[in-house]
Amino acid sequence: MLRFPCHIRNNQRLHLLRRLSLFSSNSAFMVSKHLLKTSPSSFTLLPLTLSPKHLSTPSKRLIPCLSSKPIYKNRSLSLRSNGFSSLTYLNVSAPAPAPDLEERPLDLHSLEILKHKLKKLGIDISECVPGHENRLMCPSCNGGDSEEISLSIFISQDGCSASWLCFRAKCGWKGYTKAFADGKSSFESFSRINKVKVKRQVTVESLQLEPLCNQLISYFAERMISAETLKRNAVMQKRTCNEIAIAFTYWRKKDLVNCKYRDIDKKFWQEKDTETIFYGLNDIDDASDIIIVEGEMDKLAMEEAGFRNCVSVPDGAPPSVSQKEVPAEEQDTKYQYLWNCKEYLNKASRIILATDGDLPGQALAEELARRLGRERCWRVRWPKKNDVDYFKDANEVLMYLGPSVLKDVIEDAELYPIRGLFNFRDFFDEIDKYYHRTLGYEFGVSTGWRALDDLYNVVPGELTIVTGVPNSGKSEWIDSLLCNLNQSVGWKFALCSMENKVRDHARKLLEKYVRRPFFEASYGSSVERMSVEELEEGKKWLSETFYLIRCENDSLPSIKWVLDLARAAVLRHGVRGLVIDPYNELDHQRPVNQTETEYVSQMLTMIKRFAQHHSCHVWFVAHPRQLHHWIGAPPNLYDISGSAHFINKCDNGIVVHRNRDPEAGPVDQVQVCVRKVRNKVVGTIGDAFLSYDRVTGVYMDIDEPQKKR
């Protein structure tokens, strides 16, 4: 890409372009009219270097370069291998093209295979040009802190091979690959070519380690670590200037692999460029049970309690659990010691995670369990230090409580929790509270009608299906129930009532609250209409008790949309009940391969999970299907349109039925048929009869006189 300095005019630019073409017989500069019309202020002068094919040292010629677009770091820079480069001056050679491949025709099939192989390495050559040197972001170092585009890659003219080199001194990643090897694809056996760091070989002599002095032996004795344990674990010391540091030696078989130091100020450091492994690795060779602790001192403390099958992690604990997926082995640098010791760990059937009790220690246990497999992991619970605090680690327990208590702690280790897999003992606290009735609402909340007290009570977290023939008073009965619950226990509710206008629904609720008609109309008989003061008081009650879920456009709401808003109402306003009225006003689009029965089952499962998770009771109104030859009797729950799952999955099933025949009984009498109660503690199957006041919409026990507020 060429850019001209701003002082060069258009005719001068063309002259320069003609002169530039003389630098290489194989170079061609394509300049469009659009580029020549670019504003002079956009031209700058960039340094260019000859490609390594022509020059062994960088050139410091200043060549003008023209472009109408900026260079983005995620776009490749394509440069002719025998032309000039507009990149930073570098004193290392770029990967050179193979001369015998340069003039071969492009093989698109080979290029596709090569592209796929390089993509597995993190190299995207979709914008690279064969036969040219290209610059990309290095996937190994990501360009460092400056995000430098430092990877130089050359693709052969025929697209059959590629070579690359990262010019950053701290990276230096390089490699070479072909689309095919010996006529066969090498993709399956190809692996990322990282910059291989040679592991430094160390010995006791090369590190100038020496036996522990009496002062350090006394230090360990204060921490209940014996001289015998120190000797068996080859704990040594190292002198640096006038200071002595404890040296924890890391061994594999008979080879010293690494050494970790600790000074008097509890500062830690390790030998550089050595392999990371567990401390005490030889002690778990062929062990079926393994204990993993967080520090070398804890490993030594475990031995004092009689456990030699213990190792310590070399790098301490992370501050928190990573939210990302567990990376691949070669990229899991923080926990590389696990992979370096996997032949030891694979033999273990039980791994006890005895990490520190603080938050980083718990995070370390979770990270280890993610990699080792939770199903074979156990965890310890450190004993209490006082009413508030717990002991932090194994060495602290050893110092204050002794080896026998530490042994008991390890032997009492519990299974590491697996999400979704529990034991009843995990819920013993809740069961005890349930037994002593300290949770609240163990027997449910009374509906406010004596006739229903033995049949149906409202329990948070349950689903009640309500049905009945049209105009039987289902919605009115639920509204009256909500008013009773608010009056007795102060519950708040979310209402998704698609059949009612907001003003009509408000009128019905206000009439039940004030117990006077909203209007002076025929339905109000001779009862005086509610006053303005009563209206204002009722409006305040409405705003404090109910929250409306309504679709503001002409589309039908889905059950997921309703539950998402109900969840917000629970968290924001503390609602304890949700009414969805009715089922047929929701959007029930489903996949073509899903039956209505399967859809209803899935929908009711979603509702029940919402109710249980948020401890919110849900009333779901569902109409019965068209009843042929109906003779006036209450319908059955199996008559609900859609699926038998309505009765199968609900916790409670209620049919509200109103008498329409004066000869059969009072027409103001409503029959509440409780047809299903899953929890026998809160109710049973049976029928109750209530009296309905048409003026106020209030339901009362039959022997209850009309109340006034």
Side-chain angles (χ1 to χ4, degrees):
M1 186 171 61
L2 300 175
R3 289 186 178 178
F4 286 105
C6 59
H7 63 275
I8 298 180
R9 297 179 181 176
N10 286 346
N11 57 349
Q12 292 176 309
R13 296 172 196 154
L14 290 173
H15 177 66
L16 279 173
L17 284 173
R18 295 191 187 99
R19 293 193 62 186
L20 285 172
S21 64
L22 300 176
F23 277 96
S24 173
S25 60
N26 295 327
S27 299
F29 298 92
M30 304 300 295
V31 183
S32 67
K33 294 180 181 180
H34 171 73
L35 295 178
L36 290 175
K37 292 179 181 179
T38 305
S39 172
S41 62
S42 66
F43 296 106
T44 57
L45 197 61
L46 297 179
L48 299 182
T49 64
L50 289 171
S51 74
K53 181 179 177 184
H54 296 272
L55 294 178
S56 58
T57 57
S59 167
K60 295 186 178 180
R61 289 184 65 94
L62 297 180
I63 303 299
C65 178
L66 177 64
S67 174
S68 62
K69 295 182 179 180
I71 301 175
Y72 295 101
K73 61 186 178 185
N74 60 338
R75 298 285 298 272
S76 68
L77 300 180
S78 176
L79 305 169
R80 285 198 178 273
S81 58
N82 56 354
F84 295 92
S85 168
S86 62
L87 300 172
T88 311
Y89 300 121
L90 298 163
N91 292 322
V92 291
S93 299
D100 58 328
L101 297 177
E102 193 170 9
E103 300 301 324
R104 293 181 185 177
L106 178 63
D107 185 344
L108 294 178
H109 178 62
S110 298
L111 183 62
E112 280 301 313
I113 295 176
L114 186 68
K115 183 186 299 183
H116 187 54
K117 289 174 66 174
L118 291 174
K119 193 170 184 179
K120 298 285 286 185
L121 305 179
I123 302 176
D124 184 4
I125 62 169
S126 56
E127 295 186 15
C128 295
V129 182
H132 293 62
E133 179 193 352
N134 301 270
R135 288 295 179 92
L136 298 170
M137 178 74 76
C138 176
S140 180
C141 65
N142 292 320
D145 295 337
S146 61
E147 299 184 356
E148 178 185 358
I149 302 176
S150 57
L151 185 72
S152 175
I153 181 168
F154 178 84
I155 304 170
S156 62
Q157 186 71 43
D158 58 359
C160 291
S161 64
S163 56
W164 62 90
L165 170 65
C166 178
F167 287 115
R168 291 189 68 248
K170 292 184 178 180
C171 180
W173 182 45
K174 61 182 178 180
Y176 173 81
T177 187
K178 293 182 178 181
F180 297 97
D182 299 327
K184 297 181 180 180
S185 174
S186 60
F187 172 75
E188 292 297 330
S189 62
F190 187 79
S191 60
R192 178 168 179 163
I193 309 171
N194 283 314
K195 181 182 179 182
V196 178
K197 291 184 178 180
V198 178
K199 300 299 181 183
R200 187 160 65 95
Q201 302 298 319
V202 294
T203 63
V204 172
E205 293 76 16
S206 66
L207 298 180
Q208 298 180 344
L209 303 181
E210 55 189 40
L212 289 172
C213 63
N214 292 333
Q215 182 181 0
L216 289 180
I217 293 176
S218 299
Y219 167 79
F220 281 102
E222 292 175 358
R223 305 185 73 86
M224 303 292 287
I225 308 297
S226 66
E228 180 184 354
T229 299
L230 296 173
K231 182 178 180 181
R232 200 193 72 81
N233 287 274
V235 181
M236 307 182 78
Q237 68 180 35
K238 182 173 183 177
R239 297 180 183 273
T240 54
C241 299
N242 296 326
E243 295 184 355
I244 300 177
I246 301 170
F248 297 102
T249 53
Y250 284 64
W251 298 82
R252 179 189 278 121
K253 305 297 183 183
K254 296 182 180 180
D255 297 324
L256 181 61
V257 175
N258 192 5
C259 190
K260 185 176 177 180
Y261 304 99
R262 170 177 170 163
D263 65 10
I264 194 172
D265 297 323
K266 204 178 177 181
K267 293 181 180 178
F268 296 90
W269 69 95
Q270 299 184 38
E271 291 292 336
K272 294 182 179 180
D273 300 328
T274 54
E275 185 181 5
T276 56
I277 61 172
F278 280 114
Y279 177 67
L281 182 62
N282 289 341
D283 289 338
I284 63 169
D285 194 8
D286 293 326
S288 59
D289 286 8
I290 293 175
I291 304 170
I292 300 179
V293 294
E294 192 173 323
E296 292 81 4
M297 295 295 290
D298 296 325
K299 149 68 178 169
L300 302 176
M302 285 294 181
E303 186 160 328
E304 294 295 337
F307 300 104
R308 288 191 177 182
N309 56 329
C310 178
V311 291
S312 169
V313 302
D315 296 329
S320 60
V321 179
S322 173
Q323 299 302 312
K324 300 179 180 178
E325 295 292 328
V326 175
E329 176 180 342
E330 63 273 8
Q331 299 173 344
D332 198 12
T333 54
K334 170 66 178 174
Y335 302 94
Q336 197 62 46
Y337 56 87
L338 290 175
W339 305 104
N340 294 339
C341 304
K342 62 183 178 181
E343 68 273 15
Y344 294 81
L345 298 171
N346 289 342
K347 300 174 185 177
S349 58
R350 183 170 180 256
I351 300 175
I352 300 175
L353 304 178
T355 55
D356 290 1
D358 55 12
L359 291 178
Q362 295 173 25
L364 175 61
E366 176 63 18
E367 293 290 1
L368 293 175
R370 293 172 70 191
R371 291 161 173 81
L372 298 172
R374 291 180 174 86
E375 67 280 356
R376 60 175 179 153
C377 288
W378 297 59
R379 68 178 180 182
V380 301
R381 290 191 179 274
W382 301 115
K384 273 193 169 185
K385 185 183 296 185
N386 50 49
D387 292 339
V388 179
D389 301 321
Y390 289 81
F391 287 100
K392 178 175 176 287
D393 53 33
N395 188 234
E396 196 172 68
V397 173
L398 176 68
M399 290 173 61
Y400 290 96
L401 301 180
S404 61
V405 175
L406 178 57
K407 183 178 180 180
D408 291 340
V409 169
I410 299 302
E411 291 178 345
D412 292 339
E414 60 187 29
L415 289 166
Y416 197 87
I418 298 176
R419 186 174 182 180
L421 184 62
F422 302 97
N423 186 282
F424 267 113
R425 65 172 170 266
D426 299 325
F427 301 91
F428 280 170
D429 289 343
E430 182 179 347
I431 293 171
D432 289 340
K433 294 176 181 177
Y434 186 45
Y435 175 80
H436 295 290
R437 297 186 63 182
T438 57
L439 288 172
Y441 310 125
E442 287 82 6
F443 289 177
V445 181
S446 172
T447 61
W449 298 298
R450 295 190 311 276
L452 276 170
D453 282 345
D454 294 332
L455 304 178
Y456 173 68
N457 290 276
V458 181
V459 178
E462 290 190 349
L463 168 63
T464 297
I465 298 293
V466 180
T467 190
V469 298
N471 202 32
S472 59
K474 301 181 295 296
S475 301
E476 288 272 21
W477 179 79
I478 292 177
D479 285 348
S480 190
L481 172 61
L482 302 187
C483 292
N484 291 349
L485 293 173
N486 174 259
Q487 184 178 2
S488 61
V489 291
W491 280 12
K492 300 177 182 179
F493 307 94
L495 305 178
C496 181
S497 181
M498 281 78 72
E499 287 186 332
N500 283 313
K501 295 179 181 179
V502 173
R503 63 190 184 193
D504 289 335
H505 204 172
R507 172 182 58 78
K508 295 175 183 178
L509 291 169
L510 287 170
E511 287 176 341
K512 292 175 177 60
Y513 177 73
V514 178
R515 295 181 182 262
R516 292 180 182 275
F518 192 83
F519 293 117
E520 289 181 359
S522 58
Y523 78 90
S525 185
S526 59
V527 180
E528 184 180 353
R529 177 189 188 187
M530 68 178 68
S531 65
V532 174
E533 292 76 13
E534 290 173 329
L535 172 64
E536 292 302 321
E537 181 185 350
K539 285 162 57 180
K540 181 181 178 184
W541 170 77
L542 282 178
S543 65
E544 293 175 349
T545 307
F546 300 100
Y547 299 90
L548 306 179
I549 297 176
R550 301 187 67 84
C551 198
E552 297 180 350
N553 51 37
D554 57 357
S555 61
L556 292 177
S558 67
I559 190 64
K560 183 180 182 304
W561 181 83
V562 172
L563 293 180
D564 285 343
L565 289 176
R567 185 177 295 108
V570 169
L571 299 176
R572 175 172 289 187
H573 304 297
V575 304
R576 301 300 302 273
L578 167 66
V579 177
I580 304 175
D581 181 14
Y583 161 76
N584 60 351
E585 289 288 339
L586 296 173
D587 180 12
H588 299 300
Q589 293 186 25
R590 61 181 189 272
V592 292
N593 59 344
Q594 187 180 45
T595 66
E596 183 178 16
T597 298
E598 293 170 338
Y599 166 76
V600 170
S601 175
Q602 185 182 63
M603 175 191 66
L604 293 175
T605 298
M606 290 175 60
I607 296 174
K608 289 191 66 176
R609 287 182 178 174
F610 163 81
Q612 293 170 2
H613 183 73
H614 295 285
S615 191
C616 177
H617 196 102
V618 179
W619 292 271
F620 196 5
V621 178
H623 294 309
R625 62 177 179 267
Q626 186 175 356
L627 300 176
H628 300 284
H629 310 295
W630 182 57
I631 59 175
N636 195 289
L637 287 175
Y638 285 106
D639 293 325
I640 297 176
S641 176
S643 171
H645 282 301
F646 280 106
I647 185 173
N648 295 337
K649 289 209 165 190
C650 69
D651 298 296
N652 309 285
I654 292 177
V655 178
V656 177
H657 185 67
R658 182 170 63 85
N659 178 37
R660 292 171 169 78
D661 185 4
E663 296 181 0
V667 292
D668 64 344
Q669 193 173 96
V670 175
Q671 183 179 359
V672 180
C673 310
V674 181
R675 292 291 177 258
K676 180 181 179 181
V677 177
R678 190 186 302 276
N679 185 358
K680 66 181 182 181
V681 173
V682 299
T684 187
I685 294 173
D687 293 352
F689 293 89
L690 301 176
S691 175
Y692 174 65
D693 180 15
R694 187 171 181 272
V695 174
T696 61
V698 174
Y699 287 77
M700 299 170 292
D701 285 300
I702 292 178
D703 58 349
E704 179 184 357
Q706 174 71 39
K707 292 181 181 179
K708 295 183 179 180
R709 290 189 67 257

